[in-house]
Amino acid sequence: MTNTPRANDNGNARRPAAELSIAAPQTLTREGGDSLVDQIVRSIEARIDDKLLRSGARMPSIRQFADLHGVSRFTVVEAYDRLVAKGYLDSRRGSGFYVRERAPLAAPVAARAVDAAPAQLDVVWLVRNMFRQQLPPGRTPGSGLLPGDWLDGELIANGLRAISRQNQSQLLQYGNPQGFLPLRQQLQLKLAELEIAATPEQIVTTSGITQALDIVARHFTQPGDTIFVDDPAWFLMFGSFATMGTKVVGIPRLPDGPDIARLAELAAIHKPRLYVLNSVLHNPTSTSLSAAKAFQVLKIAEQHDITIVEDDIYCDLHPGPQVQPATRIAALDQLNRVIYLGGFSKTLAANLRVGFIATSPEMAKRLSDRKMLSTLTTSDIGERIVYKILSEGHYRKHVDRLRGKLDGVRDKTFKQLERIGMRIDIAAPAGLFVWADAGCDTTLLAERALEEHILLAPGALFSPSQLPSTRMRINVASMSDMAVLRFFEREIGRLQGK
Amino acid sequence: MTNTPRANDNGNARRPAAELSIAAPQTLTREGGDSLVDQIVRSIEARIDDKLLRSGARMPSIRQFADLHGVSRFTVVEAYDRLVAKGYLDSRRGSGFYVRERAPLAAPVAARAVDAAPAQLDVVWLVRNMFRQQLPPGRTPGSGLLPGDWLDGELIANGLRAISRQNQSQLLQYGNPQGFLPLRQQLQLKLAELEIAATPEQIVTTSGITQALDIVARHFTQPGDTIFVDDPAWFLMFGSFATMGTKVVGIPRLPDGPDIARLAELAAIHKPRLYVLNSVLHNPTSTSLSAAKAFQVLKIAEQHDITIVEDDIYCDLHPGPQVQPATRIAALDQLNRVIYLGGFSKTLAANLRVGFIATSPEMAKRLSDRKMLSTLTTSDIGERIVYKILSEGHYRKHVDRLRGKLDGVRDKTFKQLERIGMRIDIAAPAGLFVWADAGCDTTLLAERALEEHILLAPGALFSPSQLPSTRMRINVASMSDMAVLRFFEREIGRLQGK
């Protein structure tokens, strides 16, 4: 066996073949739940994401790999095929398998996507890894979701069965472009509990909060406009807004809401069209807006004619004002200047893709038309399932249980993190995340973590300007594997020592 | 009872109350499948769409309506509430119900959506009406879908049940952003039958063709760029592309494909980024591209560096080359310059929202990233259902049956239409539509038709420049109600006489 290109490579190999010892899983096991194919796929993916296997590198041949690791060639063929299907490898006829060139996630701002130099927005690897379901749930503290075994699959399965028994003609035609009406009626009740008055005609369903943000931003901005976001904030937005050619400016987030002085100053300079923020259980800090801050933000928005987009995706994980005060700007403003977004990806199932927009009746019509032009309708299968769960009263009990479980693990996680030297300066613990300070560059830490199949969400990702950070977002529900703590203890010490 | 505003109107009524005899259904019946509420809702909707009830008009009070029509007030309350929820009426506290101002469908080109004067793109009423499922299926010759009772709801219901029995964790987390892999593997086989070679990594699933067009157009164009479309063509595109600030230019469509001389001439003038066309069973004419035309289009596209977007949504309704020659440009080009789009809204169920893009591996990655930024993932519930139907071999039999039924009704419909004086100049009858010439302005005809609860698709809608037309698109599967033919016979005569 050799690491240099063979004579029969047809001249396609541009770089030496990957080190076999790197390309291969460190330990393949026939015990546990994962198949050998799964293990090989996961291991190679991690090495590519981590850039241990570089673009263009030739993979060991199927026979080489099989011989070296004592697995059948069939297993290797299947693993390589899956890596090709996932875009990790290229198969070149007669030459073998190569690590693919990866495309950058975000297209250059307002430029020809095909030929311009990409503006490197390095959210690609975390976002792609978010979708790598093969990672064991206890090893994904960087994930934004609750672990699958915390959620209630039976609720969803019951919903599917109920729909399969309904009048079938409903599934064959298009749904209502504004969203399934009975669900919008349920959402009216939900919003009323938050002191936000909205009739069903003021609500438009979307394919998750992501589509809601996309529709709103496209409606309100044109290239060159500015959008304010929290700093730190949910990073997928940065890429999405950048492809629209808008300028994204971060407003520093303090424990009780935005830095008001900075907001006023930047609003005067940039005249933004939109300010997108989480009032409640802000991602990534899990802090919420005080009443005073909510009022001040609204006043500044009125002064500078800024539309506020209040993304309340973590709404149902909030423990109530007795634990952590939280004011929604929409409750003050009543959907005049505030566009309120919600959804069920965090509490029911991400795959249902059910989110919604609540806004003025006039804007709801416009955004519904926008939605129609970009996806015609949303599938109402997911919307009918959420409707059933809400209307039958299962939802409240379910989210009560989730909050209880979060409270159960949060304290323990905080103590463990603090014991190994991380700093957690949070006034009122709540929600899914803790924004911990590791005292070292967490991007380096995250890269090291992936080698050990641990998914982290380093602070730089949440920075609108991708500044390096010693913070990272930790999902307190995904810290059950002690290997993660051991990793932190060892690697943070090593990185701090550098 | 009176038609003028009452003294206790709080000054809100800007116009006299609607004529009771107009606002009310002509004939309410307690027989048949529709509830009284449904009948009232449908009747008032039609009158609003038809502008017999104008924006701002006050509706009769609930008591007035109930007394006049001998129905309970509860029935009227429910009907009015549903009309409010659907955006047809406004409820003003203490004053009553009013016909809402309707927003235009398309936002102005590259302008502030909020404050600019709307560019009237009058697709709004047909698109909204497409979603009015209350219209009886035999009275919707303007619809783009097969009637619900032609489709197989049991196939979909079986799929839902099967998914409800699968490993539930699959539904709780996000799906693969590029789309459910086993479905993409099935699509590879489907494309191979069309002589288009595409691996699963070259395929990206979308929420119907609509999202595919949205993603592709956003990726390739910036405001001011030109997109070519067929003339006539599917009208939702015009609105979608207009909101992106692109210029839409129509290429005249002849029976065997585009007018090549005109295409060459316009390509040199406009230097378009994209040319979107249906090669097979073109909407609205149901004609297909000859081999010679396909080659010429591709040559011109190469010469002017135009990316071709081949929308093949009617693919599976095509009867085969022995009936109507049909060449896909992607079969010539093999996904270099051609982006191929397909989907299952026409043949399985519109509500599943399953479409796909096939393109080069590199472009698939980029478009998959675009999709991630706009909707994160598609729900893979619909994708798993389509996968099950394709992989278990039900699909081929199902579409064979659909084509057989279409052949059964098409000849009869053609004869009926020709007998009442419509002109049909089609060489090889195939597909779902006929592009019939009524010899009068079909926009006027469509307006009259809505008064009688008949949905037509007038030619002007399919014109990129909304030019008046004597043509209209007739869905041969939705002509079962003889009242439609009687309507044509009577009204076309009347309009031709004008």
Side-chain angles (χ1 to χ4, degrees), chain A residues 78 81-86, chain B residues 178-192 198-205 383 387 390-391:
Chain A
E78 195 180 336
D81 277 351
R82 270 166 53 184
L83 288 161
V84 168
K86 294 173 111 176
Chain B
Q178 194 165 344
F180 186 51
L181 178 59
L183 173 61
R184 289 186 284 126
Q185 288 163 337
Q186 286 294 320
L187 293 174
Q188 173 177 25
L189 303 178
K190 181 172 156 63
L191 290 170
T199 63
E201 69 162 328
Q202 291 179 261
I203 298 171
V204 183
T205 63
E383 294 173 12
Y387 162 70
L390 293 183
S391 64

Side-chain angles (χ1 to χ4, degrees), chain A residues 112 133 168 174 218 225, chain B residues 112 133 154 174 218 225:
Chain A
R112 300 280 187 208
Q133 295 157 329
Q168 292 166 354
Y174 291 110
R218 285 170 79 180
D225 283 347
Chain B
R112 300 280 188 209
Q133 294 156 329
E154 203 47 48
Y174 291 110
R218 285 170 79 178
D225 282 348

Side-chain angles (χ1 to χ4, degrees), chain A residues 157-222:
Chain A
N158 279 338
L160 286 167
R161 282 189 288 267
I163 293 172
S164 77
R165 289 188 298 263
Q166 286 172 6
N167 179 351
Q168 292 166 354
S169 72
Q170 295 166 336
L171 296 176
L172 299 174
Q173 308 296 321
Y174 291 110
N176 182 324
Q178 194 164 344
F180 185 51
L181 178 59
L183 174 62
R184 289 186 285 125
Q185 288 164 337
Q186 286 294 320
L187 292 174
Q188 173 177 26
L189 303 177
K190 181 173 157 63
L191 290 171
E193 289 178 20
L194 305 173
E195 293 184 75
I196 300 167
T199 62
E201 68 163 328
Q202 291 179 260
I203 298 170
V204 182
T205 63
T206 56
S207 179
I209 291 267
T210 311
Q211 189 186 22
L213 285 170
D214 185 58
I215 288 173
V216 170
R218 285 170 79 180
H219 186 75
F220 277 89
T221 67
Q222 46 185 319

Side-chain angles (χ1 to χ4, degrees), chain A residues 127-143:
Chain A
V127 179
R128 288 239 172 89
N129 276 293
M130 266 174 37
F131 296 105
R132 282 171 59 194
Q133 295 157 329
Q134 294 92 338
L135 282 178
R139 297 172 79 109
T140 55
S143 161

Side-chain angles (χ1 to χ4, degrees), chain A residues 87-363:
Chain A
Y88 278 87
L89 300 184
D90 273 332
S91 161
R92 297 188 200 150
R93 200 178 296 247
S95 164
F97 290 84
Y98 293 80
V99 178
R100 281 201 70 227
E101 313 280 348
R102 315 297 298 275
L105 179 67
V109 173
R112 300 280 187 208
V114 190
D115 47 19
Q120 287 295 346
L121 189 67
D122 212 353
V123 302
V124 61
W125 69 262
L126 183 63
V127 179
R128 288 239 172 89
N129 276 293
M130 266 174 37
F131 296 105
R132 282 171 59 194
Q133 295 157 329
Q134 294 92 338
L135 282 178
R139 297 172 79 109
T140 55
S143 161
L145 295 180
L146 286 165
D149 59 1
W150 284 44
L151 299 174
D152 189 345
E154 202 47 48
L155 271 182
I156 314 297
N158 279 338
L160 286 167
R161 282 189 288 267
I163 293 172
S164 77
R165 289 188 298 263
Q166 286 172 6
N167 179 351
Q168 292 166 354
S169 72
Q170 295 166 336
L171 296 176
L172 299 174
Q173 308 296 321
Y174 291 110
N176 182 324
Q178 194 164 344
F180 185 51
L181 178 59
L183 174 62
R184 289 186 285 125
Q185 288 164 337
Q186 286 294 320
L187 292 174
Q188 173 177 26
L189 303 177
K190 181 173 157 63
L191 290 171
E193 289 178 20
L194 305 173
E195 293 184 75
I196 300 167
T199 62
E201 68 163 328
Q202 291 179 260
I203 298 170
V204 182
T205 63
T206 56
S207 179
I209 291 267
T210 311
Q211 189 186 22
L213 285 170
D214 185 58
I215 288 173
V216 170
R218 285 170 79 180
H219 186 75
F220 277 89
T221 67
Q222 46 185 319
D225 283 347
T226 296
I227 298 179
F228 280 4
V229 297
D230 290 319
D231 180 2
W234 163 231
F235 46 83
L236 198 84
M237 283 194 300
F238 308 153
S240 173
F241 297 160
T243 62
M244 298 175 199
T246 59
K247 192 162 73 177
V248 176
V249 173
I251 307 299
R253 180 87 180 202
L254 307 176
D256 62 345
D259 179 334
I260 294 294
R262 197 83 185 108
L263 173 62
E265 189 185 353
L266 290 170
I269 297 169
H270 292 284
K271 301 282 177 206
R273 298 285 302 164
L274 299 174
Y275 179 11
V276 183
L277 81 170
N278 301 127
S279 301
V280 176
L281 294 178
H282 166 246
N283 178 6
T285 67
S286 279
T287 59
S288 298
L289 214 56
S290 70
K293 281 275 170 93
F295 174 68
Q296 288 169 307
V297 170
L298 186 55
K299 266 207 327 197
I300 291 171
E302 283 177 349
Q303 191 186 336
H304 295 280
D305 196 18
I306 306 167
T307 297
I308 292 176
V309 182
E310 192 164 40
D311 167 1
D312 202 14
I313 184 68
Y314 295 98
C315 172
D316 298 315
L317 298 180
H318 189 264
Q322 66 288 0
V323 178
Q324 184 192 67
T327 300
R328 287 167 183 85
I329 309 175
L332 305 183
D333 168 79
Q334 293 300 312
L335 304 177
N336 288 305
R337 177 168 298 284
V338 176
I339 296 176
Y340 177 91
L341 313 182
F344 298 90
S345 296
K346 302 292 177 180
T347 49
L348 286 178
N351 211 322
L352 295 178
R353 309 305 305 126
V354 178
F356 65 91
I357 300 168
T359 181
S360 67
E362 172 62 15
M363 188 51 66

Side-chain angles (χ1 to χ4, degrees), chain A residues 432-453:
Chain A
L432 182 56
F433 303 127
V434 55
W435 185 233
D437 191 334
C440 65
D441 183 338
T442 49
T443 301
L444 296 177
L445 189 67
E447 286 170 4
R448 274 287 301 122
L450 266 190
E451 291 171 49
E452 307 195 12
H453 309 310

Side-chain angles (χ1 to χ4, degrees), chain A residues 82 84-87 89-90 100-107 110-115 124 127-128 130-131 133 145-149 151-154 156-158 160-161 163-165 168-178 181 184-185 199-201 207 210-212 214 218-223 225 234 236 239-240 243-244 273 345-346 348-353 361-363 365-366 369-370 372-382 384-385, chain B residues 82 84-87 89-90 100-108 110-115 124 127-128 130-131 133 145-149 151-154 156-158 160-161 163-165 168-178 181 184-185 200-201 207 210-212 214 218-223 225 234 236 239-240 243-244 273 345-346 348-353 361-363 365-366 369-370 372-382 384-385:
Chain A
R82 270 166 53 184
V84 168
K86 294 173 111 176
L89 300 184
D90 273 332
R100 281 201 70 227
E101 313 280 348
R102 315 297 298 275
L105 179 67
R112 300 280 187 208
V114 190
D115 47 19
V124 61
V127 179
R128 288 239 172 89
M130 266 174 37
F131 296 105
Q133 295 157 329
L145 295 180
L146 286 165
D149 59 1
L151 299 174
D152 189 345
E154 202 47 48
I156 314 297
N158 279 338
L160 286 167
R161 282 189 288 267
I163 293 172
S164 77
R165 289 188 298 263
Q168 292 166 354
S169 72
Q170 295 166 336
L171 296 176
L172 299 174
Q173 308 296 321
Y174 291 110
N176 182 324
Q178 194 164 344
L181 178 59
R184 289 186 285 125
Q185 288 164 337
T199 62
E201 68 163 328
S207 179
T210 311
Q211 189 186 22
D214 185 58
R218 285 170 79 180
H219 186 75
F220 277 89
T221 67
Q222 46 185 319
D225 283 347
W234 163 231
L236 198 84
S240 173
T243 62
M244 298 175 199
R273 298 285 302 164
S345 296
K346 302 292 177 180
L348 286 178
N351 211 322
L352 295 178
R353 309 305 305 126
E362 172 62 15
M363 188 51 66
K365 272 283 156 231
R366 288 171 180 266
D369 287 343
R370 281 266 166 184
M372 193 150 69
L373 293 177
S374 37
T375 60
L376 211 56
T377 63
T378 33
S379 167
D380 67 13
I381 295 175
R384 283 169 191 267
I385 292 174
Chain B
R82 272 167 50 185
V84 167
K86 295 174 108 174
L89 300 183
D90 273 330
R100 281 201 71 226
E101 314 279 350
R102 314 297 298 276
L105 178 68
R112 300 280 188 209
V114 189
D115 47 20
V124 61
V127 178
R128 288 241 172 88
M130 264 174 40
F131 295 105
Q133 294 156 329
L145 295 179
L146 286 165
D149 59 3
L151 300 173
D152 189 346
E154 203 47 48
I156 313 298
N158 279 338
L160 286 167
R161 282 190 288 268
I163 293 172
S164 77
R165 290 188 297 262
Q168 292 166 355
S169 72
Q170 296 166 336
L171 296 175
L172 299 173
Q173 309 295 320
Y174 291 110
N176 182 325
Q178 194 165 344
L181 178 59
R184 289 186 284 126
Q185 288 163 337
E201 69 162 328
S207 177
T210 312
Q211 189 186 23
D214 186 59
R218 285 170 79 178
H219 186 75
F220 278 89
T221 67
Q222 46 184 318
D225 282 348
W234 163 229
L236 198 85
S240 174
T243 64
M244 298 175 198
R273 300 284 301 163
S345 295
K346 303 291 177 182
L348 287 177
N351 211 324
L352 295 177
R353 311 302 306 125
E362 173 60 16
M363 186 52 66
K365 272 285 155 226
R366 287 172 180 265
D369 287 345
R370 281 267 168 184
M372 194 151 68
L373 293 177
S374 36
T375 60
L376 211 54
T377 62
T378 33
S379 168
D380 67 15
I381 294 175
R384 284 168 190 267
I385 292 174

